[in-house]
Amino acid sequence: MKFKSIFDKTAPAFQFYASDTMADRRWRTMSLQERGLKITLDCECWTNKSAPRDIATLAKCIGYSYEEIEHSLTERVISFYEVNNNEMISPELNDYKFLLDERRKKMSEGGKKTQAAKKRNNSFDTLEGNLTRSEKNREEQNGIEMNREEQVFIKGKLSLEEMKEFVDEIENTEINF
C-alpha cells in the first residue's frame, strides 16, 4: 500500500459558514432529518469526492436504514448537489477544495523560490560579507555574557554610563500636560 505524502493529502476539514447556511432558504425549510443528512452528505463528499445517489447504497455507506434515507433524501437536500452517474457531487465543496489546493501550490512555490534565493545568496558570499558575519558572531558571543540592559545599550551605540545618565535625566524631568 502506497502512503500519501502530506502534500498529496486533502485538507482534513472544510469551513462551515453558519451565516451563509442559515440564510439559505433551502436550509431553513428543511426538517431536522434533512439537515442532518445534508451535513452527512457534505462529509461524505469531502472525504470521498461524492456520495451515492442510490438510496440503498447511500444507506449502507452512512450506516442508516433504507427507510430513514428514503424519508430524508428529498429534493431540498438534493438541490445542494450535482448528480452525475448516480453520484452526488458538492460544487461548493469542490470549489473550496480547489481554492485550498491552489493556495497550497502557491505557498510551496514561494517556499521553493525562497530556498533558491537563500542558496544563491550563500554561494556568492564575499570576503566582506564573511567578515561582517564573523564580527556579528563575536558580538553575539560576547553579548551572551552581558546582562540584558548592557546588550541594549551596546546596540544603541551608547556606553552604559551615557545611557544611565540619559535615563536619570528623563526620570527627573517634570512633565506638564
Side-chain angles (χ1 to χ4, degrees):
M1 180 171 142
K2 184 181 175 193
F3 291 99
K4 291 182 177 182
S5 80
I6 191 165
F7 299 107
D8 294 334
K9 293 181 181 180
T10 59
F14 56 89
Q15 293 281 333
F16 180 82
Y17 296 97
S19 60
D20 292 350
T21 302
M22 295 303 290
D24 191 319
R25 184 172 290 148
R26 294 175 298 174
W27 176 266
R28 292 193 329 250
T29 59
M30 291 166 70
S31 70
L32 189 59
Q33 290 82 8
E34 289 171 316
R35 289 178 179 188
L37 181 59
K38 197 270 188 221
I39 291 171
T40 303
L41 289 172
D42 283 349
C43 293
E44 182 70 22
C45 287
W46 185 258
T47 305
N48 297 306
K49 297 184 175 84
S50 67
R53 172 61 179 91
D54 175 65
I55 294 173
T57 307
L58 180 59
K60 286 179 185 176
C61 284
I62 63 174
Y64 286 92
S65 70
Y66 181 93
E67 292 76 21
E68 288 174 299
I69 301 302
E70 183 179 42
H71 175 72
S72 301
L73 189 60
T74 64
E75 286 304 313
R76 283 186 295 270
V77 174
I78 295 170
S79 71
F80 287 93
Y81 303 94
E82 290 178 0
V83 180
N84 295 323
N85 299 326
N86 213 23
E87 292 287 317
M88 292 183 288
I89 298 164
S90 172
E92 182 181 355
L93 291 177
N94 284 347
D95 291 347
Y96 182 63
K97 239 181 215 181
F98 179 78
L99 177 89
L100 292 178
D101 289 343
E102 288 300 306
R103 186 180 301 155
R104 184 186 298 180
K105 285 177 190 173
K106 287 179 183 177
M107 289 172 63
S108 176
E109 290 168 8
K112 288 175 184 175
K113 286 179 183 177
T114 300
Q115 282 302 103
K118 283 182 179 180
K119 284 182 182 178
R120 231 183 359 263
N121 289 341
N122 286 339
S123 66
F124 294 116
D125 276 345
T126 62
L127 178 60
E128 182 181 312
N130 289 336
L131 287 175
T132 304
R133 193 175 303 120
S134 296
E135 290 170 5
K136 187 175 184 180
N137 286 341
R138 261 187 257 117
E139 286 177 7
E140 287 173 357
Q141 289 170 355
N142 291 337
I144 291 170
E145 297 170 11
M146 292 183 252
N147 66 32
R148 173 82 175 121
E149 186 179 57
E150 291 170 329
Q151 291 176 22
V152 170
F153 297 143
I154 288 173
K155 287 182 182 177
K157 305 288 187 215
L158 291 176
S159 72
L160 184 57
E161 293 306 315
E162 290 172 320
M163 192 55 100
K164 283 182 180 179
E165 288 174 15
F166 177 72
V167 170
D168 287 341
E169 187 177 314
I170 289 175
E171 287 176 348
N172 294 326
T173 302
E174 194 174 306
I175 301 174
N176 296 316
F177 287 101

